[in-house]
Amino acid sequence: MKQRFRRIVIKIGTSTLTAGTTQINMPRIVSIAQQFMSLLDSGAKLVFVSSGAIAVGREALGNPDLPKSIPGKQMLAAVGQPRLMNVYGQVFGIYGITVAQVLLTNEDISDRKRYLNARNTIESLLMQNVLPIINENDTVATEEIRIGDNDNLSALVANLIEADMLILLTDQDGLFTTDPRKSDNAQLIEEIKGEEITEVIWFGAGMAKGELGTGGMATKLQAAEIARHSGATVVIANGSEPNVINRIVDGENVGTRIHPTVDSMESRKRFMLAGAAKDSWISIDQGAAKAFKKGGSLLPIGITGVHGQFERGDIVWVKNKDGRDCAAGMVDYSFEEINKIKGKKSTEIEKVLGYAYGDEIIHHNNMTVLGSEA
Ligand code: GLU
């Protein structure tokens, strides 16, 4: 049966957005907006990772040479990013799509608390049917904290929102057995299945396995490797192909399709179970345990006790009234906060704490419920 993809991250590189020129190509932007519209109409949730800030900044300043220094590039990104968003706001608006800008650095994704903030913001946008448009926060991302390229950023975002598909659009038809610009014998790799991406494939992408990619296909393959281990199907394809996004989602053979090594549920489960601290747990009553089974979140009212020391964003165990582990999940509130609000209604959180991060102590999307033990 054909798989229906529900949560899709689409990363589009500068070369696709400019159609290889020095300025944004409006027909391309219109085509992207149209394709997004039809996917959104079908009920899919989309996140768009867009490059192009530096290119638009350059265009705005009359195409100076690309500065080599980081501050030079940051300056161009600062000029270009709002202009790029303005184009998206206008064009996507014609198709009824409201856009939002989300700029991320490595720290926003690697630090647990900030991870949770980024994730909650993106989830809230998706819930409102707003299209998050993500780019690296180039103006503050210095060398040490840079992700460095939007391929890897898009893989981290796919992981963050548990995407089931990541599409990387570029100016080549996909991954080849060797560089097609240098060899006539280069053949398109249509599919990669199985656990290992082989040495031959890494080599074809331009680097040996384990080396750090510096852009191009190698970086895309690196990104694919991250995303497929968190349960996403990854497709690398040519952004100049007509209707390419919809065709990929429909399962047509375009570009290189890299299959996931785990499904996203399984990946989330592993992540939660591996990350849960042994000595921190929340005890819940029977009503809360039953609610989990039906897809409910953990609310303060169902909490009878809290044990250990943990922060907002940590993963903790949830124990049922018999003291058995029945779930593990990422908490939206710290140990101290939960101690104050346990047993209370969610509407009282703000009154007790003076602020609230939301109604849930652990959102259902951030937890894994264990078998029949609840
Ligand atoms: N963040 C850069 C920009 O918007 C692009 C980085 C990349 O494409 O990998 O210009």
Side-chain angles (χ1 to χ4, degrees):
M1 206 179 68
K2 208 168 82 175
Q3 186 180 353
R4 280 190 87 198
F5 296 99
R6 311 308 300 153
R7 294 171 84 84
I8 307 167
V9 176
I10 300 127
K11 182 262 167 173
I12 308 191
T14 303
S15 59
T16 297
L17 297 170
T18 58
T21 68
T22 53
Q23 40 179 296
I24 288 292
N25 182 284
M26 289 313 261
R28 287 261 168 106
I29 307 291
V30 170
S31 158
I32 294 165
Q34 286 169 337
Q35 295 184 66
F36 279 12
M37 183 183 69
S38 75
L39 282 177
L40 290 167
D41 282 351
S42 76
K45 300 283 183 200
L46 305 185
V47 173
F48 179 22
V49 177
S50 172
S51 303
I54 294 176
V56 173
R58 252 174 114 184
E59 182 194 342
L61 297 183
N63 290 312
D65 285 343
L66 187 61
K68 290 211 170 47
S69 72
I70 295 221
K73 287 187 191 149
Q74 288 175 313
M75 175 276 290
L76 291 179
V79 174
Q81 181 64 26
R83 285 177 159 74
L84 187 60
M85 283 307 298
N86 188 30
V87 171
Y88 289 139
Q90 305 260 348
V91 177
F92 286 44
I94 298 170
Y95 296 91
I97 304 171
T98 307
V99 301
Q101 169 180 269
V102 180
L103 299 176
L104 296 174
T105 60
N106 205 1
E107 287 181 337
D108 299 321
I109 296 173
S110 52
D111 175 275
R112 272 277 170 74
K113 259 187 258 176
R114 287 166 70 168
Y115 170 94
L116 207 61
N117 289 338
R119 178 180 175 131
N120 287 349
T121 306
I122 296 171
E123 287 298 341
S124 304
L125 291 168
L126 294 176
M127 235 141 63
Q128 289 296 318
N129 292 321
V130 173
L131 174 72
I133 304 185
I134 298 183
N135 197 353
E136 184 152 23
N137 196 352
D138 289 316
T139 53
V140 298
T142 51
E143 203 57 76
E144 308 82 65
I145 62 162
R146 263 171 84 78
I147 296 164
D149 65 85
N150 279 353
D151 296 323
N152 277 300
L153 174 63
S154 65
L156 297 174
V157 169
N159 190 348
L160 189 76
I161 67 148
E162 280 144 26
D164 45 25
M165 176 167 259
L166 167 64
I167 299 176
L168 301 170
L169 293 186
T170 180
D171 56 1
Q172 288 183 54
D173 291 341
L175 214 55
F176 284 82
T177 48
T178 180
D179 191 338
R181 290 165 303 188
K182 292 185 193 145
S183 160
D184 291 341
N185 296 330
Q187 281 180 11
L188 180 70
I189 302 171
E190 287 184 10
E191 225 174 15
I192 301 177
K193 281 186 172 157
E195 272 297 317
E196 274 276 307
I197 293 183
T198 61
E199 199 65 54
V200 177
I201 297 176
W202 283 106
F203 196 72
M207 68 177 185
K209 190 178 171 188
E211 271 180 50
L212 281 180
T214 50
M217 276 303 153
T219 318
K220 288 181 180 53
L221 193 55
Q222 234 169 22
E225 183 73 324
I226 297 172
R228 77 189 199 120
H229 276 100
S230 62
T233 298
V234 185
V235 179
I236 303 172
N238 197 324
S240 67
E241 285 274 332
N243 206 22
V244 63
I245 302 169
N246 290 334
R247 285 165 54 203
I248 290 170
V249 176
D250 281 346
E252 213 181 285
N253 266 353
V254 239
T256 303
R257 186 168 286 242
I258 304 162
H259 295 272
T261 54
V262 282
D263 73 30
S264 48
M265 289 288 287
E266 184 55 34
S267 139
R268 179 170 70 184
K269 196 166 167 184
R270 276 193 212 167
F271 175 73
M272 292 297 169
L273 296 183
K278 285 207 172 39
D279 46 1
S280 300
W281 69 82
I282 295 172
S283 306
I284 58 166
D285 63 20
Q286 213 169 358
K290 277 206 181 114
F292 286 0
K293 287 283 175 192
K294 296 192 196 125
S297 297
L298 176 60
L299 305 176
I301 190 138
I303 298 180
T304 54
V306 53
H307 186 275
Q309 265 297 341
F310 53 85
E311 294 295 323
R312 170 174 151 76
D314 284 349
I315 299 174
V316 304
W317 290 104
V318 180
K319 289 185 188 290
N320 66 11
K321 65 174 187 9
D322 304 325
R324 270 186 296 142
D325 293 331
C326 61
M330 194 185 283
V331 283
D332 266 278
Y333 291 86
S334 71
F335 166 81
E336 283 86 6
E337 289 164 334
I338 299 175
N339 232 341
K340 290 185 193 149
I341 55 180
K342 64 173 190 268
K344 300 205 182 321
K345 291 204 179 98
S346 295
T347 47
E348 291 177 87
I349 297 177
E350 188 156 357
K351 205 167 68 202
V352 177
L353 299 180
Y355 53 85
Y357 297 120
D359 288 351
E360 301 87 10
I361 300 297
I362 303 178
H363 194 280
H364 194 78
N365 290 346
N366 292 340
M367 92 168 106
T368 182
V369 178
L370 301 180
S372 55
E373 288 169 41

